[in-house]
Amino acid sequence: MTRQVRCECGFVARGDTDEAVIELVLRHVATEHPDLAETETADDIRGWIELVP
């Protein structure tokens, strides 16, 4: 099952594993929301992941 996280800005990170989605989100945050890069952790992002068919 695919996993995804939707950012408030409209970006959607999708992947087959939690780790893949977390990596995409961390890269997105670092480039698009650098003010949040130091505050969001992999554990935070793991809690945002939703499963999609």
Side-chain angles (χ1 to χ4, degrees), residues 11 20-33 45:
F11 173 79
V21 173
I22 290 167
E23 179 62 31
L24 289 171
V25 172
L26 287 172
R27 276 192 265 150
H28 169 70
V29 169
T31 59
E32 301 299 323
H33 311 287
I45 297 165

Side-chain angles (χ1 to χ4, degrees), residues 6-52:
R6 293 178 183 269
C7 183
E8 293 177 356
C9 74
F11 173 79
V12 179
R14 287 191 184 98
D16 293 330
T17 65
D18 288 359
E19 291 73 23
V21 173
I22 290 167
E23 179 62 31
L24 289 171
V25 172
L26 287 172
R27 276 192 265 150
H28 169 70
V29 169
T31 59
E32 301 299 323
H33 311 287
D35 54 317
L36 299 176
E38 297 297 320
T39 63
E40 305 303 338
T41 67
D43 285 335
D44 294 330
I45 297 165
R46 191 177 312 280
W48 306 339
I49 294 174
E50 55 187 357
L51 299 176
V52 294

